[in-house]
Amino acid sequence: MDMMTPGVPSLSATTASGSDNHSNLSSTFAATSSSSLTSMTDYSTFPLGRQGDRTYFRDPENLYPLPSDIAEIHRQSLRTMMLLRVFGGPFCNPHISNHPPKRVLELACGSGLWSGLCHEYFVRRGQPNVAFVGLDMVSLAPDLRKQGMNWQFKRHDLRRPHLPFPDDYFDLVFIKDAGMTPQSPAQQASGLTEYLRVLKSGGVLEIWDSDSVFRSLLPNPAPARKVSTKDQEIANSTATYTFSAATPFTAAQNKFLIDYNSWVEKSFDRRKLTVLPCATIGLAFQSEIDIMENVDSRRIAIPLGDMRWEREGQGGKDSTGSRKTLTPEQASIRQTALLTVIKMIEGMEPLLMEASGKSRDEWDRWWVAMTTDLFQKGVFASGECLEVSAWWGQKR
């Protein structure tokens, strides 16, 4: 699979069509602020509202913990670009490269950035007519038809048990970073059933996600077993680590990430959300072995900075036996991972403040100390990582 992106975007990176996104967001927020003219409880028509200086879902039954605003769209865009680099392209399933889909569904599409980049991937391969459908609760994506895409947006509450599509409709169903999306009891019970219903026989379901708590990678981790040579080469070139259940991790050691882990676990438990969606997704794929075939996964740990044991040569030596020195691109990938983590913590401020019991002044002092520690020190003594994972399989 060709690598989609030669590098990772900088802090100033925007989504694929920033001006269109600003227009869509502004319209959505304007409609939200006018909700008082109709019904303050009309959450379906006016789903968003202000809390402090961020915008969140207003519906008290929609327990999505992150904001839905321009700053969050930019964070998600950075995460998407980074994931395409460390995974080597817009999807991991090798079947898709040689068997391009005719119709693709991106669930929880947000700004539609992944669909746009996937479209570019197929255009470069002489396959410009792949049709994309994006589905989400709020219309934040620009009209990608203006960029020459066969694109349609469908607004849909992801908590509903049924998707608004017929059986056997899509060749590829893709879901990214939807682990924090609240699910109804019916959805939790059905697992992947509804995604597989709208997928054609031979079609691919692929899901990317990451856990919401952090662990530390121990020195000198061996590459995960059964990782292809090409995938390991991508990991080596991006200074990331392939891992499996046998890879040695320990609890986070950074005091601020220890705080965060404790608070997010407490808050998510109250909201009946999981901080470990990767385990849930993995089990869901395993439970569908009668319906799916060619099921596989990739798991990658992205260090949140320079790790001391790399600099000191403990498992960080390169092929010449020298201590590992990061290239500018490798350092940029780690800085981007750290930035998306810090911006995620910032977006969860209301629920983390509540879980911590801190006053506004106490929280502000913790926040300044945390950002100073994580941004300015630049070296993580204990190997804290962002763990990202991909799962895929074909419908029989």
Side-chain angles (χ1 to χ4, degrees), residues 8 18 42 149 158 179 183 239 247 255 265 291 294-295 329:
V8 176
D42 186 4
M149 284 182 61
L158 295 172
Q183 290 190 321
T247 302
K255 61 180 181 179
E265 287 173 349
I291 301 175
N294 300 321
V295 174
E329 184 194 8

Side-chain angles (χ1 to χ4, degrees), residues 212-215 251-252 254-270 275 345 348 351-358 363 366:
S212 301
V213 292
F214 301 97
R215 300 186 294 173
N254 179 278
K255 61 180 181 179
F256 295 102
L257 292 182
I258 292 173
D259 286 344
Y260 161 79
N261 281 350
S262 172
W263 299 334
V264 78
E265 287 173 349
K266 181 178 180 180
S267 181
F268 275 33
D269 184 61
R270 289 176 178 173
V275 295
I345 296 173
M348 292 186 189
L351 61 89
L352 294 177
M353 275 188 64
E354 178 185 9
S356 69
K358 291 183 179 296
W363 175 266
W366 182 88

Side-chain angles (χ1 to χ4, degrees), residues 57-71:
F57 284 101
R58 297 191 307 122
D59 184 351
E61 295 183 359
N62 185 349
L63 301 177
Y64 185 66
L66 289 170
S68 182
D69 55 19
I70 293 172

Side-chain angles (χ1 to χ4, degrees), residues 103-177:
R103 189 179 287 125
V104 178
L105 171 64
E106 182 186 3
L107 284 165
C109 67
S111 70
L113 177 60
W114 178 87
S115 287
L117 294 174
C118 194
H119 165 74
E120 292 177 6
Y121 173 91
F122 287 121
V123 167
R124 289 198 300 272
R125 290 173 171 261
Q127 299 147 349
N129 298 319
V130 178
F132 290 86
V133 177
L135 183 146
D136 213 326
M137 288 189 66
V138 180
S139 177
L140 302 180
D143 185 355
L144 297 177
R145 293 174 297 180
K146 296 179 180 179
Q147 302 177 21
M149 284 182 61
N150 185 341
W151 163 262
Q152 177 188 0
F153 175 80
K154 181 76 173 179
R155 185 177 175 186
H156 178 76
D157 188 336
L158 295 172
R159 295 169 296 171
R160 294 179 184 174
H162 300 293
L163 295 173
F165 306 106
D167 297 354
D168 309 314
Y169 192 68
F170 295 98
D171 304 289
L172 170 61
V173 174
F174 183 84
I175 310 169
K176 182 183 67 65
D177 293 330

